[in-house]
Amino acid sequence: MLSNYYSKKKKVILSALGLNFLICNIRNLNKWFLMSLPALKCWVPVLSNLRQTNHLSLFKITIFFLIQVTPIPELFLTAVKLSHDNTGARYLHLAREDKNNLFSVQFRTTPMDSTGVPHILEHTVLCGSQKYPCRDPFFKMLNRSLSTFMNAFTASDYTLYPFSTQNPKDFQNLLSVYLDAAFFPCLRELDFWQEGWRLEHEDPADPQTPLIFKGIVFNEMKGAFTDNERIFSQHLQNRLLPDHTYSVISGGDPLCIPDLTWEQLKQFHATHYHPSNARFFTYGNFQLEKHLKQIDEETLSKFQKIEPSTIVPAQKPWDKPREYQITCGPDSLATDSSKQTTVSVSFLLPGITNTFEAFTLNLLSSLLIGGPNSPFYKALIESGLGTGFSPDVGYNGYTREAYFSVGLQGIAEKDIQTVRNIIDRTIDEVIEKGFEDDRIEALLHKTEIQMKHQSTSFGLTLTSYIASCWNHDGDPVELLKLGNQMAQFRQHLKESPVFLQEKIKQYFKNNQHKLTLSMKPDDKYYEKQTQMETEKLQQKVNSLSRKDKERIYEKGLELRTQQSKTQDASCLPALKVSDIERTIPFTELDVTLAAGEIPVQYCAQPTNGMVYFRAFSSLNTLPEELKLYVPLFCSVLTKLGCGILNYREQAQQIELKTGGMTVSPHVLPDDSHLDTYEQGVLFSSLCLDRNLPDMMHLWSEIFNNPCFEEEEHFKVLVKMSAQELSNGIPDSGHLYAAIRASRTLTPAGDLQETFNGMDQVRLMKRIAEMTDIKPVLRKLPRIKKHLLNCDNMSRCSVNATPQQMSETEKVVERFIKNLGRSKKERKTVRPHVIEKPAYNGSSGSTYVNGSQIIRKLITDPTFKPCQMKTHFLLPFPVNYVGECVRTVAYTDPDHASLKILARLMTAKFLHTEIREKGGAYGGGAKLSRDGVFTFYSYRDPNSIETLHSFGKAVDWAKSGKFTQQDIDEAKLSVFSAVDAPVAPSDKGMDHFLYGLSDEMKQAHREQLFAVSHDKLTDVSNKYLGIGKCTHGLAVLGPENAKIAKDPSWIIR
């Protein structure tokens, strides 16, 4: 519902959540939450309980049949598989000592057209149900619960409804709402109009204005297909699997969505949303019997078994390869306008329910495309023909039959055949030569690390991971037995050294079900899309009688009235503010001085044999002209070689000895002053405890002897980075708008734009276009001198088990002693530096022992915020809008009030105005840690109108037209984020990065509890009104006549 159509993005979700050893082509991972693994012994009583007679009788009472109980020690869980007698509904419970419990229900949804019926249905069922008939209970529950996750997803052939929470009462509340929504929705016509599509007057109150298409999903999919990668991925699946449901767009083609009727929507629900076509999943440490009882009583007992006709038949294999060419919109940020073609070669693979074959092909895919030592990276990426792999590269296991795809984007059209020849030649070479043993070991090592690494949203990871296989009647429990699959894989390799080559011969070399898909830009692509939409609209309007037009006008007014009406949500269950824990658990930290000068923070945690290392280096001495290049420096530092290792050998060692080594620029706000911040670079890595000396040796070589001589490989990395930044704009446009809008509000804002904004996107485009890249490459050693030495290292941190700490201290001490020093003293570029100690035992924190961490902060006493309005012209049919306001720092009591206010404005005003009335996919307000208050919209058909809505939201807040119940709901929503689970690997990070002690966080918590109606109206008047504090505005999107006429806007 919040980010629900994910045929392209599901891989990214799974990988980011902690199972990326099972996914082979992940780039630009989003940050997601993380979790704690228990000791295996916790499961002994659980297993014995499940086998006791009285426990088994429970399943009979609740009309569930127990099929099997399976311990899966490698994932520290026990799988309980059941089925429901009356309906045949399938049920899987994963018992694990994890307090972040999850529920999901999924339905096999197999559309046969591109009207987007499963996607629009997924939206509409969440708009009210028999038991909870109020409008939009889903969004209302976001503010009545302490959920750690709530959403819904439409995939190509199933729809999934998951939520998670740590509170048992909350779990029961959300379960009741989700069950009623899925099985007994109202499916009102006006909700279909709002969520799906409708004809409505441009101004609903004026019947003289033209009729246009509106609707949330309609606009969402228009936005989705501004992403050329998504266009390519969608066509690839449609063309490779053309016989059944995969030949259509389950999310909806904007040109087909207006063909869907309300009656068809209701019929699709009747035939697909039945327990006999459902799979129920629960995870965590709450009692299984309570789940079963509630699900049966509230839902399953009201149905009888049917035989759903939703099975996806096997794709008929081709007798010869096929080729297709498609077009897309031009990329205005492409590094070379003559090189915007994409081509890939794809092969149909076996069904995904053969779990070992799927596991093998997934690993094989990683060997073929993963990293600079892989055959296709060497042959394609390093050929210099393109800017990166084609979309959906690698193994794709989300359809009934899997497929493998490989190719290049950013090539010249004339090079299509060259790329195809390289792919064929590379397949032949791999069949002949196979893979080095070290590469296979590195991949299996990565799998071991991912099984031990702990994610706080592991339940969500697992339900997403098993969804496709289970959807096609595969065994989800077998899929989870990763230890068995690894052992079987090793055994096959032992018995047959050419095991993997045989697979390549079978599935690639001798496979006639092979698709070559190419995509080239068409300068008139968006013009043609607009023309087709106009024709579709004209066709619809011309078919209307006068009576139809009157009804449309009346229905439009009725919808607007309903959207504006205050809703009675009293039928919905809700937690109370009194259900929120008053205090936070405190984390014990120890800080020692390594080599007598560098503070190292040690945090003993149950990390399951993993060690997490971080270091932070200051950028205070770096000359201003080099700042722009810091993100590029960070992205290539661990990829160009170090010491005696070239870049291929370095990549191999990183994979063999670590779970990854990352370097990223950071701008960290001060907790008490808006004009003060810390600038630096964070180095992060993780490893199995046995590999700690090797990992720290790698860091020593990277710091002391980095290699900046690999010009050709540097060119490759630059092109890939520029392409990834450009491709990321359609999904992250609202973030870019917010960064730009806040640029001139604080001294840190300009640096944020430099590191993470559109300035950085455009810089990388310019560098990638350079014929001579040496001048940029020569800047890297200069940055190194100001960053990779003992003098600039500010602090380090280690999270590991208590048993590992003694050895870890010795290894980290040795690393710091070996760090080089500057040959001459380097002064800070900015004259105003404040040394600020993080709180410890001697300065107000009883849980931080030992030495102090001193943060060297930059301040600018002469800084004056100013307003700036920027419009980035991009060839999209939708907008991304941001408006930012400078407010107050974290420790100011008003910060807590503004945080609650942002949530209140989102839930009670902006959601209605921007999403429901305006038709944007998303919108709201948020307060950042740096004290910048942001209004935003996402995939929005409007821009100036949305900015007016932001202004109206401020007027609404100042008027105080909200109740105590509204305030309490906003507090619940804020606390659900504040109290989100923290992984053992991330404990103590607020102290390490921001200098925030647990006592400071507890004080902020008490300020949140103390927020009142008066305080909310007070901060609305004090900060958000025009003329009170400085505002900044930014829009990313198409040309806009009103903005173009307004000289106060800068057009970029």
Side-chain angles (χ1 to χ4, degrees), residues 33-39 42-43 76-77 93-103 146-149 163-172 174 282-287 291 454-460 575 581 583-587 605-606 975-976 978-984 987 1005:
F33 345 108
L34 297 170
M35 176 187 109
S36 134
L37 287 170
C42 297
W43 292 109
F76 298 85
L77 57 82
H93 177 67
L94 299 182
R96 196 168 190 262
E97 197 49 56
D98 180 2
K99 63 183 181 180
N100 193 23
N101 286 251
L102 179 129
F103 164 84
L146 289 170
S147 65
T148 53
F149 185 85
F163 72 77
S164 60
T165 180
Q166 303 175 86
N167 183 297
K169 181 181 172 187
D170 199 26
F171 191 98
Q172 290 179 344
L174 289 167
T282 48
Y283 162 92
N285 63 357
F286 293 164
Q287 287 186 344
H291 302 336
Q454 305 163 44
S455 154
T456 50
S457 51
F458 199 52
L460 181 60
L575 293 182
E581 294 287 341
T583 58
I584 58 169
F586 281 42
T587 302
Q605 291 290 321
F975 274 107
S976 71
V978 169
D979 292 341
V982 179
K987 292 276 188 181
R1005 186 180 193 83

Side-chain angles (χ1 to χ4, degrees), residues 241 314-315 317 347-362 364 395-404 472 503 506-508 511 513:
L241 296 156
Q315 168 65 46
F347 303 87
L348 190 70
L349 300 177
I352 57 174
T353 57
N354 182 338
T355 52
F356 177 66
E357 198 73 352
F359 181 84
T360 300
L361 290 170
N362 214 327
L364 180 57
Y395 179 83
N396 295 269
Y398 310 114
T399 46
R400 188 187 188 280
E401 288 93 7
Y403 55 93
F404 174 87
H472 296 288
K503 295 293 178 193
Q506 177 185 357
Y507 294 124
F508 300 161
N511 189 348
H513 200 115

